[in-house]
Amino acid sequence: MVAPLRVGIAGLGTVGAEVVRLIESRASALASRCGRPVRVIAVTARTKAKKRSLDLRGIAWAKDPHQLAENPDVDCLVELIGGAGEPALSAIETALKAGKSVVTANKALIAKHGLRLAKAAEAHGATLNFEAAVGAAIPIVKTLREGLAGTSINRVYGILNGTCNYILTRMEKEGLSFDECLKDAQRLGYAEADPSFDVDGHDTAQKLAILSSLAFGTKVAENAIYVEGISSITPEDLRAASDLGYRVKLLGVAVRTAKGIEQRVHPTMVPKSSSIAQVMDVTNAVTVDGEGIPPMTLVGPGAGGAATASAVVADIADVARGVRVSPFGRPVEQLRATEKAPMERHEGGYYIRLMARDFPGTAAAIATRLAEQKISLESIVQRHPNGVDLARSGGKASQVPVILITYATHEDEVYRALKAVQRDKVISGRPQVIRIEKN
Ligand SMILES: NC(=O)c1ccc[n+]([C@@H]2O[C@H](COP(=O)([O-])OP(=O)(O)OC[C@H]3O[C@@H](n4cnc5c(N)ncnc54)[C@H](OP(=O)(O)O)[C@@H]3O)[C@@H](O)[C@H]2O)c1
């Protein structure tokens, strides 16, 4: 009989508890798939006395994650505490330096210290797996790192935050405001009391930083990502997008361009017919666009104890089998540096919503300013929707929403044109601009 893989788990919360249960309930299938049993031999969490509805009999309790990492009986440390700093960081580092394998679901830590940890893993011949850190159950890390090792990737983009996708889905389906949907998401436990990390796009950026490195062989660099959240999106935008054949999603996009790898997170209009547009509510999805293969989309639950545990246990199974791959698919010293893409040179189509004054000649004035910047329009719609009060009041002209869709152009040209339109005083308020991603 081959010796079992002896696992130590730090963190017994939503994910950790499910990992303990899954290893127990799948014991015989895992042994048969891995060629050896997988056993949880020690655990730790913050409060030992906490009631956990877990059968921990026969499993040792370590006083802290550090002690667990140092335990000579533990072959594989599974870190499910969370947080970009301590105690997760030094526990993982201790384990790797002792040549132990590590499995983690901690995107914040991998986005911030992934390279340092990968270096430690390489130096000590250890494995560092983090499938669950991006898209939970969706096996996108393995897909990019191993499944597509023979493919040159041009673009990877995805819906990586369930909270944002839930809010945008409700806004679109029910015509509700961002604030109303956010409150509901908080009530249902889909959004944190402080939702800014999710709705401002930073959670998506951490995951994109990891995917980008795996796809393009670049260093993980969250600060190289342009980030914009979803709080400025209105139900009017979603309705207009829908009428024009689009849907709005918060996407993380990493794309190879002539100027390098452009990484960005922002609300994005995607064609309704695209695979990514079908992904609703809290579901996550990632599309990979590779040389010689049509775009592939992986869709699945991006959170939840059982879903995340599924990916964690798959990583543990790789360790049990003795599979060891460079954490980011290539040795750390071969990963290239990447710089923040200048968004003013971003090239693509744009959706622009303006509140135009209802004077004769307004549309012509707008079109002239766009033409001066050599921006071609795919469509221009002047909306007089029901419910918009077009009556003139107080001697002021009423306002009419004007929706423009441009062909591919540069972002600085769009903003130069809009500045000129504002100077002409033919619109009021701030124009809404949403980038379009074609499939
Ligand atoms: N939840 C998800 O859907 C999901 C999805 C993908 C990835 N992840 C990632 O998975 C990881 C775990 O998330 P989670 O949702 O399971 O978190 P959680 O429910 O908050 O559980 C955290 C666990 O860590 C323990 N802990 C906290 N501080 C500790 C310390 N100083 N020393 C020892 N143990 C400590 C807690 O102990 P007590 O139980 O005693 O409080 C708890 O058991 C995070 O990195 C998260 O980003 C989670």
Side-chain angles (χ1 to χ4, degrees), residues 11-15 45-47 50 52 65 80-82 87 105-106 132 303-304 308:
L12 296 171
T14 309
V15 182
R46 192 168 27 204
T47 313
K50 201 174 197 174
R52 298 185 191 274
L80 299 167
I81 298 169
N106 191 337
T308 311

Side-chain angles (χ1 to χ4, degrees), residues 361-373 375 377 380 404 421:
T362 294
I366 295 169
T368 303
R369 292 304 189 187
L370 291 165
E372 280 169 6
Q373 297 298 326
I375 298 171
L377 290 178
I380 174 163
L404 311 164
V421 169

Side-chain angles (χ1 to χ4, degrees), residues 30-359:
L30 274 172
S32 129
R33 280 176 178 261
C34 303
R36 63 195 284 209
V38 174
R39 269 192 208 126
V40 179
I41 63 134
V43 294
T44 190
R46 192 168 27 204
T47 313
K48 186 176 179 187
K50 201 174 197 174
K51 254 194 133 16
R52 298 185 191 274
S53 68
L54 268 181
D55 185 1
L56 296 175
R57 280 172 302 176
I59 299 178
W61 184 275
K63 107 173 148 22
D64 57 36
H66 217 258
Q67 194 189 61
L68 189 66
E70 282 180 327
N71 183 341
D73 293 334
V74 168
D75 305 311
C76 173
L77 175 75
V78 179
E79 184 277 309
L80 299 167
I81 298 169
E86 299 304 340
L89 177 61
S90 54
I92 291 181
E93 216 155 30
T94 301
L96 292 173
K97 285 181 177 166
K100 296 176 197 290
S101 303
V102 171
V103 171
T104 178
N106 191 337
K107 65 183 176 245
L109 187 73
I110 294 297
K112 190 161 181 201
H113 298 295
L115 297 179
R116 168 174 157 185
L117 296 174
K119 252 191 204 159
E122 280 169 22
H124 295 89
T127 302
L128 171 63
N129 286 342
F130 46 83
E131 181 62 71
V134 185
I138 305 173
I140 186 63
V141 171
K142 214 176 168 71
T143 298
L144 291 173
R145 190 173 60 190
E146 292 150 63
L148 292 171
T151 303
S152 170
I153 292 167
N154 295 324
R155 184 173 57 157
V156 52
Y157 61 98
I159 295 170
L160 302 171
N161 182 274
T163 308
C164 290
N165 207 43
Y166 172 81
I167 291 173
L168 291 170
T169 301
R170 292 274 321 264
M171 285 176 72
E172 183 194 329
K173 281 190 182 159
E174 297 170 48
L176 300 172
S177 71
F178 169 79
D179 287 332
E180 285 172 294
C181 293
L182 173 59
K183 275 202 192 99
D184 262 7
Q186 285 171 318
R187 192 174 47 76
L188 294 166
Y190 294 150
E192 304 282 338
D194 175 2
S196 55
F197 184 67
D198 289 317
V199 300
D200 293 345
H202 301 296
D203 174 76
T204 300
Q206 288 187 341
K207 294 167 182 166
L208 182 69
I210 297 169
L211 293 187
S212 195
S213 173
L214 291 161
F216 299 109
T218 50
K219 292 189 169 147
V220 187
E222 194 188 338
N223 58 7
I225 302 178
Y226 168 84
V227 185
E228 193 184 302
I230 60 167
S231 57
S232 71
I233 301 297
T234 67
E236 291 73 38
D237 293 321
L238 300 183
R239 212 169 315 138
S242 176
D243 291 350
L244 293 160
Y246 293 93
R247 204 161 258 156
V248 179
K249 298 289 181 189
L250 181 76
L251 291 193
V253 184
V255 58
R256 195 190 292 282
T257 73
K259 301 177 286 290
I261 307 301
E262 183 181 274
Q263 300 178 66
R264 47 192 164 83
V265 172
H266 50 74
T268 312
M269 296 218 336
V270 290
K272 259 192 203 170
S273 58
S274 62
S275 304
I276 207 100
Q278 319 309 318
V279 179
M280 305 302 258
D281 299 308
V282 293
T283 305
N284 281 203
V286 182
T287 298
V288 185
D289 211 341
E291 203 74 48
I293 44 170
M296 287 186 291
T297 302
L298 280 77
V299 182
T308 311
S310 146
V312 171
V313 173
D315 272 351
I316 297 171
D318 265 353
V319 172
R321 291 184 194 107
V323 175
R324 184 158 69 84
V325 188
S326 295
F328 292 97
R330 299 153 168 95
V332 173
E333 65 176 29
Q334 289 176 22
L335 298 175
R336 286 171 291 111
T338 179
E339 283 179 16
K340 192 165 183 167
M343 284 307 285
E344 57 277 12
R345 295 316 291 156
H346 169 70
E347 195 177 353
Y350 288 82
Y351 157 98
I352 302 166
R353 179 169 55 81
L354 305 166
M355 290 309 288
R357 292 175 190 243
D358 199 13
F359 288 126

